[in-house]
Amino acid sequence: MENQLLLDPAVKPESSVLENALGKKYGLFMDFSNKLNEQNLFIEWNYYNDGKSWLGKLLFKKKNLCWISVWNTGFKVTIFFTEKTISGFHELKIDDEIKNTAKNTKQTGKLIPVILLIGSKKRLNDCLKILEYKKQLK
């Protein structure tokens, strides 16, 4: 069963907290974090009362590229696209399963969410390709 972690507003998601929460998946998170740093991207963690959990906002300058949440099965990255920008996502060379899941995910208002559970190197690499695409959008 999948459970969201990092629910306590008093416990900030610092390295030791993330390592404890992610366990074996922490190395994957560190790979992700290092790749982001190489591209001058950074995660801004905030506690959100409406969801009663910590979420990371991945920023490129002031542009929000995605949201990051920590689960007992790994970490999730949620990237939002519009009707206009989703077509470019479907042209990316990534796992078809990701594209099919996105097609079947319910829209949130005018936004189309692409939700990735990062639990493997392959999924991480696909996520980085999607983020690179999102980064270059106007």
Side-chain angles (χ1 to χ4, degrees):
M1 183 169 174
E2 191 174 60
N3 292 310
Q4 189 169 4
L5 305 174
L6 304 183
L7 302 175
D8 186 343
V11 181
K12 293 185 176 165
E14 296 165 348
S15 294
S16 60
V17 173
L18 290 168
E19 185 174 10
N20 187 45
L22 288 167
K24 294 178 186 173
K25 304 291 185 195
Y26 182 69
L28 207 52
F29 184 81
M30 287 310 300
D31 289 348
F32 179 63
S33 199
N34 291 335
K35 296 281 187 195
L36 299 178
N37 288 337
E38 290 169 11
Q39 297 180 40
N40 294 318
L41 304 175
F42 68 96
I43 302 170
E44 180 182 279
W45 291 98
N46 290 298
Y47 185 82
Y48 292 90
N49 275 322
D50 57 349
K52 303 281 186 239
S53 66
W54 286 91
L55 292 176
K57 183 172 20 174
L58 180 64
L59 298 169
F60 172 60
K61 299 178 183 173
K62 292 184 179 183
K63 182 178 183 176
N64 181 355
L65 297 180
C66 71
W67 294 93
I68 301 162
S69 57
V70 176
W71 299 74
N72 62 333
T73 50
F75 60 98
K76 278 188 185 176
V77 174
T78 305
I79 307 164
F80 290 96
F81 293 98
T82 62
E83 288 281 344
K84 190 169 142 183
T85 59
I86 195 73
S87 58
F89 158 77
H90 287 292
E91 294 169 12
L92 296 173
K93 290 185 171 77
I94 58 173
D95 190 337
D96 285 337
E97 180 189 338
I98 297 169
K99 294 176 187 179
N100 292 332
T101 300
K103 283 180 186 173
N104 297 320
T105 302
K106 188 176 183 233
Q107 272 189 229
T108 306
K110 293 185 178 191
L111 299 176
I112 303 161
V114 174
I115 303 167
L116 302 162
L117 176 62
I118 310 297
S120 69
K121 243 343 177 196
K122 168 88 174 94
R123 188 54 53 103
L124 174 61
N125 290 333
D126 284 346
C127 178
L128 292 169
K129 288 177 190 173
I130 298 167
L131 288 172
E132 187 57 40
Y133 168 67
K134 175 82 184 235
K135 184 175 154 185
Q136 58 87 31
L137 293 173
K138 295 288 178 210

